[in-house]
Amino acid sequence: MARARSRYAPDRGLTGRMVTTMFLIGLLYVVFVGVLLAALRGSWPIILIITGGLFIAQFWFSDRIAAYGMGAREVTPEQAPELHGTIDRICALADMPKPKVAIAESDVPNAFATGRSEKTALVCATTGLLRRLEPEELEGVLAHEMSHVAHRDVAVMTIASFLGVLAGIITRIALWGGFARSRPGNDPAGILLLLIPLISAVVYAISFLLTRLLSRYRELSADRAAALLTGRPSALASALTKVSGQMARIPTEDLRKAEPYNAFYFMPAFSAKESLGRLLSSHPTLEQRLDQLSRISTDLSR
């Protein structure tokens, strides 16, 4: 899944999980559309047009929408020389083309990457992150984000999340509009219509869990790849610890605004403490990430 000439360490575990997730999501998508076609036989052209249109919109525009929603503003080397210099060094280390570079005006210390491919990639750091991190810590964070671009997991997450979005829309339409009101209860099509909200909810839940499982692994993979590329896992560990500690000082209102984009961020706005919350979290725990970096540091020192 990663470019052949990238020097980021390949991750077969990530590749296998992305392929498995895409397969299962695709299977769910086929079942879901099949149920819609069976229940709304006379409306199949509309269904195909709507689902196809939503998929295209999700794939082509979701990264731009997310970047806009997070306040990313593209900057030139003259406007942000230190940020561009760090990205240039990482690109030279990884032998990758340079992505677009952006800054988000936010005191929440974070960074993210978006884009369907290396050609459309954008890497963004918040002003809060730039103000708080030392140069080597910032390099570790940005190398983490660049690994998402190299491994193409940003594009996979974009596609994988589409079915959940579609199922959520269908569920809301069904609950608000009442699909089956005009159908008699003993009509098989009417029964299918009654089942659409339930099936949509199940599809949404399964796709949500699949993307969360992939998201947690890809964050560990990005930490590992960044540590191996830069050769300084301690700098990334320091950045993780510092950003996590600073999150507690950010006003709750600002964190709430950032929370919808947690799956994109280097560090989630809120970290789940309970076991159920961890299951639904988009990121592994801080302890898991630091433990992995500690093992990598030990291995590199041998």
Side-chain angles (χ1 to χ4, degrees), residues 141-297:
V141 172
L142 295 177
H144 168 107
E145 295 304 326
M146 288 287 289
S147 81
H148 287 314
V149 177
H151 290 135
R152 306 287 179 89
D153 55 66
V154 173
V156 171
M157 283 295 293
T158 298
I159 298 171
S161 64
F162 164 72
L163 184 58
V165 172
L166 177 61
I169 292 172
I170 295 295
T171 301
R172 286 192 290 271
I173 292 174
L175 292 175
W176 293 343
F179 271 159
R181 289 176 184 171
S182 62
R183 296 272 187 168
N186 57 354
D187 185 353
I191 295 173
L192 281 174
L193 285 170
L194 287 171
L195 289 175
I196 284 179
L198 176 61
I199 294 172
S200 299
V202 171
V203 167
Y204 176 80
I206 294 174
S207 61
F208 179 86
L209 289 174
L210 286 173
T211 52
R212 281 297 185 267
L213 287 170
L214 176 59
S215 179
R216 288 196 294 275
Y217 185 88
R218 82 185 188 110
E219 293 301 328
L220 287 172
S221 175
D223 284 347
R224 183 165 55 250
L228 293 173
L229 180 75
T230 62
R232 289 197 292 265
S234 59
L236 181 55
S238 175
L240 278 165
T241 304
K242 187 178 290 187
V243 170
S244 177
Q246 290 293 318
M247 284 293 185
R249 304 181 183 181
I250 303 299
T252 303
E253 182 180 354
D254 293 341
L255 294 178
R256 290 293 181 194
K257 291 178 181 178
E259 190 176 17
Y261 304 102
N262 269 351
F264 288 94
Y265 280 133
F266 167 71
M267 177 71 73
F270 289 99
S271 297
K273 302 296 183 183
E274 299 79 10
S275 57
L276 179 59
R278 290 181 181 181
L279 176 65
L280 303 178
S281 175
S282 59
H283 287 64
T285 64
L286 176 63
E287 292 75 15
Q288 288 175 309
R289 299 176 77 173
L290 293 179
D291 182 61
Q292 175 183 246
L293 291 171
S294 177
R295 293 196 303 270
I296 293 173
S297 182

Side-chain angles (χ1 to χ4, degrees), residues 4-28:
R5 70 184 187 91
S6 169
R7 292 187 186 135
Y8 273 103
D11 191 325
R12 293 181 180 178
L14 177 61
T15 300
R17 282 167 173 80
M18 288 194 293
V19 171
T20 301
T21 299
M22 291 302 294
F23 173 78
L24 293 175
I25 289 288
L27 188 61
L28 278 175

Side-chain angles (χ1 to χ4, degrees), residues 14-58:
L14 177 61
T15 300
R17 282 167 173 80
M18 288 194 293
V19 171
T20 301
T21 299
M22 291 302 294
F23 173 78
L24 293 175
I25 289 288
L27 188 61
L28 278 175
Y29 183 74
V30 170
V31 172
F32 185 58
V33 173
V35 171
L36 289 179
L37 292 175
L40 304 172
R41 286 169 293 186
S43 306
W44 67 266
I46 297 175
I47 294 171
L48 293 179
I49 291 173
I50 291 175
T51 54
L54 285 173
F55 178 81
I56 293 172
Q58 176 80 358

